[in-house]
Amino acid sequence: MAAEYKTIVSLVRDRPGVLTRIASMFRRRNFNIISLAVGQSETKGLSRMTFVVDGDDATIDQVIKQLRKLIDVVSVEPIGDRTMVARELALIRVTATSATRSEITQIAEIFRANVIDVAPDSLIIEVTGDEDKVQSLKSLLESFGVREMIRTGRVAMERGLALDSRRNGKTTIPQA
Amino acid sequence: MKMTGAQIVFESLTREGVNVIFGIPGGAILPLYQTLPEYPNLRHILTRHEQGAAHAADGYARVTGKVGVAFGTSGPGATNLVTGIACAQMDSIPTVFITGQVGRAAIGKDAFQETDIAGITLPITKHNYLVMNASEIAYTIKEAFYLARTGRPGPVLVDIPKDVFVEQAEFEYPETVDLPHYNVQPAIKTEALKQAAALIKDAKRPLILAGHGVIISHAYNELRELAEKTGIPVITTLLGISSFPSNHPLCVGMPGMHGMAYASLAIDEADLLLGLGMRFDDRVTGDLKTFAPNAKIIHVEVDPSEINKNKHATVPLVGDLKTVLQKLLPHVQPKTHPDWVKRIDVLKKEHPPVRSIAANGMRPQAILQTLSKETKGQHVIVTGVGQHQMWAAQHSTFVNPNSFITSGGLGAMGFEVPAAMGAQVGRPDATVWSICGDGGFQMTMSELATIVENNIPVKFAIFNNGFLGMVRQWQDIFYKKSYVATNYTRNPDFVKLAEAFGMPGRRVARQEDVLPAIREAMAHNGPMLLDFMIPQEENVFPFIPAGQSTAQLMEEPVEDLAHGG
């Protein structure tokens, strides 16, 4: 059976050790993280994390409840696949010679990816999109030689104002 | 008002109502200790090992319901606390651990006696802190105590670098904590209460499974009222023992791996289980697929993550147990279950806990029954982990709430000596009996010195079979009696050891000496040790092997009784 991935977005207090605390909980409870992306939120003092977790409904239910138990976790919201806007960014360093450079650039254009660095024997391509798009571009570039790739993991938001209305439009900042 | 970090720690502890601290000083925490004499109302008990301090704080917290506090220095001091912290976490015991840390400038440099104790204790604390400024101490301690004692209680660790203790800061103790996302008292839906009441009304063979939550939330009266109003028999988990009087007509006893066979068999036949402040631990359920196959489940729990973790709840009720029961009681209708109670009585007759006790008085079950008879159940029993723990759970009488103290979740051998010390400090007027195994006793027996030094009148009963008895029992049953590394062939002389530590000791090897020895220990004004020489081959029955169902239930083999010592 194919793996079941679920996306969970969480607001956490922006404090030293919070990432370790969350990662430690995942490890201790044997939950499987596919990807984890972290960055600042719209509110000072709060970061937003996007988790992609592998597991059946019961496991995801536990992941959410165990996350909510952590003192530094402010909110935890699972995002439905159908109502989700999800993106990731990848940087791909691909072998390029004067003979292949233009062909690679054309492929990048089809994917609306950007060439952000040119060297005598390679290019760096920046691509944004869902995981399938990043994967497809990588597969196409493999014939030229992918030397290095880095992906951010998924960041996700729910379409419309669903999350805002659930929070009554308020995000409070806990004071330390 | 300006104070040092150390003064702020003690001022904060005082405001949290702390009056006893267990611990051991060391380099990094020395600035804190040197300030202790300024606070003569704080009693510090110097233990022999930090594990002793941690278990003592735990035992103190269990009997008093207050937050237990232990101190340790950095590095090895802090790591020695770890078993005690994990034990408090597994059993939801409100505790605060304060550790010294190397100076701020030395953190991360592999300094002498440095460990990242906040990192080490991440998975075994409810929350923890590394305090980097004296100005943060007061709020941190306020929050630590609040977290330790509210919601599902648990251990909180506060790590403070040495130079932060001497740094000056303005002291003002906060009135409240600011944790808007920490929800202690979730709203209880009337709809769910009505659903639960309807299930109770329709049930023909209902059972209450009462867990540690009854004790933690002091819901004794509510539990009793619910059981008596609805006529539902009560099963208590290991940690739920003494949440309901064991001599009550509706008390069925403990289920599970070493529970009463009739309790486990009753669960098989039940059509409704009320899990009250318990978490469907594997030692209770065995194989989850065959556990309570016919029962709907009402699960009342303060921790939402326990709902549906192991067993699906037909009706979940999240909240403090006492509050939930108070709200549930008006919805339930008075009822009786004469046929079901009769059926359980039949199960009791068919599956007695031990087939014959009178055969030999040196049998551990008989010793514990004699002890309960002598104290009339007016005791606090603290156990270690292993065979003696299960015998104590099976064969003691508990008439008072919260009078059975044991390491249930972690199963930490060595708990019995220091936890009994902490329990006796918390309840100076109680008769505290520490029921020990000879194996676990030797893990923390150095605390006998602390006990004598502070004249803490715990009575020790070692159930001495010269074996790691429960492990040997598994070797008996699963490894063809291959006793690898479980036999203590030359135990120390525990009587002489007691005397060396400064308390009287008696060896009890004959049946007729059991009662006089117990009487002598109880009459003695101070700590005393009894070394009961029990038969080596005695095993704990009933026994349902790990992960299996009641179909695999083993009861006491009758032929073994003849050579029961």
Side-chain angles (χ1 to χ4, degrees), chain B residues 257-258 283 470-483 539-541 543-548 552-554:
Chain B
M257 181 177 277
H258 291 296
R283 285 313 196 240
M470 188 59 93
V471 189
R472 197 221 59 229
Q473 175 165 345
W474 286 50
Q475 290 172 331
D476 266 352
I477 294 168
F478 305 115
Y479 298 92
K480 298 179 182 163
K481 302 199 179 209
S482 169
Y483 298 145
N539 278 339
V540 183
F541 291 103
F543 180 25
I544 303 171
Q548 300 204 15
Q552 278 79 37
L553 188 141
M554 300 175 202

Side-chain angles (χ1 to χ4, degrees), chain A residues 13 15 20-21 24 27-29 61-62 65-66 68-69 71-75 172-176, chain B residues 90 122-123 125-129 139 143 147 152 178-182 303-309:
Chain A
R13 297 203 282 189
R15 292 185 167 190
T20 319
R21 207 175 279 287
S24 163
R27 189 202 53 75
R28 139 142 167 66
R29 301 216 173 251
D61 181 55
Q62 270 296 306
K65 286 171 172 172
Q66 295 295 345
R68 284 192 178 132
K69 246 165 93 166
I71 306 302
D72 287 322
V73 171
V74 172
S75 70
T172 50
I173 319 158
Q175 300 298 313
Chain B
M90 288 293 273
L122 264 185
T125 49
K126 184 170 173 183
H127 196 57
N128 66 19
Y129 305 86
Y139 181 80
E143 194 172 280
L147 290 174
R152 180 177 186 169
D178 188 13
L179 290 163
H181 310 287
Y182 173 76
D303 179 353
S305 73
E306 291 299 346
I307 305 288
N308 298 340
K309 187 181 83 178

Side-chain angles (χ1 to χ4, degrees), chain A residues 1-73:
Chain A
M1 203 178 87
E4 302 169 64
Y5 299 145
K6 292 277 158 48
T7 306
I8 298 165
V9 173
S10 183
L11 265 181
V12 304
R13 297 203 282 189
D14 191 3
R15 292 185 167 190
V18 170
L19 183 60
T20 319
R21 207 175 279 287
I22 288 167
S24 163
M25 188 281 289
F26 273 81
R27 189 202 53 75
R28 139 142 167 66
R29 301 216 173 251
N30 203 22
F31 297 142
N32 191 10
I33 301 186
I34 303 296
S35 86
L36 168 59
V38 192
Q40 289 179 344
S41 73
E42 71 285 356
T43 311
K44 194 162 176 281
L46 295 180
S47 291
R48 186 165 272 117
M49 295 187 173
T50 308
F51 304 89
V52 182
V53 186
D54 181 11
D56 56 18
D57 286 350
T59 307
I60 302 298
D61 181 55
Q62 270 296 306
V63 170
I64 291 167
K65 286 171 172 172
Q66 295 295 345
L67 273 173
R68 284 192 178 132
K69 246 165 93 166
L70 299 175
I71 306 302
D72 287 322
V73 171

Side-chain angles (χ1 to χ4, degrees), chain B residues 163-175:
Chain B
D163 54 329
V164 174
F165 288 126
V166 292
E167 187 178 67
Q168 298 251 334
E170 200 64 41
F171 175 71
E172 193 189 344
Y173 204 61
E175 302 258 312

Side-chain angles (χ1 to χ4, degrees), chain B residues 22-36:
Chain B
F22 301 90
I24 303 186
I29 202 170
L30 211 46
L32 182 65
Y33 268 89
Q34 294 311 110
T35 311
L36 187 57

